[in-house]
Amino acid sequence: MQNNNTIQVLCTRPLDSLLVTNAFNRGISIDTIPFIETIPLADEDISNTINDLAQKKITAIFTSMNAVDAVTARLNHVPKWDIFCLGGVTKEKVLQFFGEKHFKASAKSAGLLAEKIIEHKPENQLVFFCGDQRMDELPETLAVNGFPTQQVVVYKTIQTPGETSKNYQGIVFFSPSAVHSFFSVNTIPLSTVLFAIGKTTAATIQTYVQNKIITSEWPGKEQMIDVVLNYFKPININA
């Protein structure tokens, strides 16, 4: 039974039920409403590109779990790639399919990942598997440091906006696309605290509102929800 003092939070990405339950036990009720949908590109050209690259020794880069899923679904064997990726679920999926042998390094942001790639001085062709709404920071940083990168778009992001009726005390955003989708049909009071995963998402929020923004530099859902729990802890009825 929900207490009147329960804090209401909206998360714009699906969460594991365990995270939602844990938050509720600590006085925070989380609604999960996806404001974007990601769809793998299944055309023949993409499949041929991935399979051609699978025959080569390349340095593959992933900054999204959706890109890992889209690529591995088209592979019938584990290619001899060197792999750099973001941490969190993206890293977990990389290790699950490719294994530790091919994993080189991970980072908590695209900018830091670019720095690690530059430090390793890869000699193989660099291929960035990404979505159509990718940020340019990583490939641009690599390019200006002498590491041109082939970008292969393997999934697309579609906005799925919907109006919300609750007055949420907190809203969690995991991408600029979700921010655009949410604010295309919603307005919020100045008192609502907004949580952003990374500086790019936070900067996108700032183009819409002047609300307080709490930024998590870590790419995982668990870490983001921990930020929410810690922020509301002083007024958490069960803490």
Side-chain angles (χ1 to χ4, degrees), residues 36-236:
I36 59 172
E37 180 182 359
T38 57
I39 301 175
L41 297 179
D43 60 87
E44 188 175 348
D45 287 343
I46 295 296
S47 295
N48 289 339
T49 297
I50 293 172
N51 283 297
D52 286 344
L53 290 169
Q55 309 308 314
K56 303 176 182 178
K57 179 136 177 83
I58 66 169
T59 295
I61 305 168
F62 296 97
T63 59
S64 164
M65 64 177 185
N66 298 306
V68 180
D69 287 341
V71 170
T72 56
R74 288 165 177 74
L75 294 172
N76 53 25
H77 71 283
V78 179
K80 296 178 181 179
W81 295 347
D82 292 334
I83 300 176
F84 293 84
C85 64
L86 287 190
V89 178
T90 303
K91 179 181 177 181
E92 291 174 9
K93 286 181 175 287
V94 163
L95 292 175
Q96 183 178 11
F97 185 86
F98 295 96
E100 292 276 359
K101 179 181 177 181
H102 299 285
F103 172 75
K104 291 300 178 182
S106 64
K108 62 183 181 180
S109 70
L112 292 175
L113 185 61
E115 291 179 12
K116 288 196 174 183
I117 295 170
I118 293 166
E119 288 173 6
H120 277 75
K121 296 182 172 61
E123 297 180 357
N124 301 325
Q125 174 189 1
L126 268 67
V127 180
F128 179 26
F129 294 105
C130 55
D132 63 336
Q133 302 295 317
R134 68 199 174 283
M135 297 294 104
D136 293 326
E137 180 183 15
L138 186 142
E140 288 180 353
T141 300
L142 291 173
V144 298
N145 283 277
F147 295 95
T149 304
Q150 177 185 352
Q151 299 183 51
V152 179
V153 177
V154 294
Y155 72 93
K156 63 180 178 179
T157 301
I158 299 173
Q159 294 185 16
T160 56
E163 294 185 16
T164 61
S165 57
K166 286 186 182 179
N167 259 339
Y168 291 102
Q169 287 146 290
I171 303 177
V172 184
F173 293 100
F174 287 88
S175 69
S177 298
V179 175
H180 293 310
S181 180
F182 176 85
F183 284 108
S184 69
V185 294
N186 291 290
T187 58
I188 59 173
L190 189 59
S191 59
T192 303
V193 179
L194 305 179
F195 298 85
I197 193 160
K199 295 178 181 178
T200 304
T201 301
T204 305
I205 293 172
Q206 289 175 328
T207 66
Y208 286 97
V209 293
Q210 296 181 328
N211 293 52
K212 183 174 184 177
I213 301 172
I214 307 296
T215 305
S216 170
E217 295 300 330
W218 293 98
K221 295 179 183 180
E222 294 84 357
Q223 290 91 342
M224 176 61 101
I225 298 305
D226 280 343
V227 171
V228 174
L229 294 176
N230 289 331
Y231 176 82
F232 287 117
K233 189 175 181 180
I235 52 176
N236 190 315

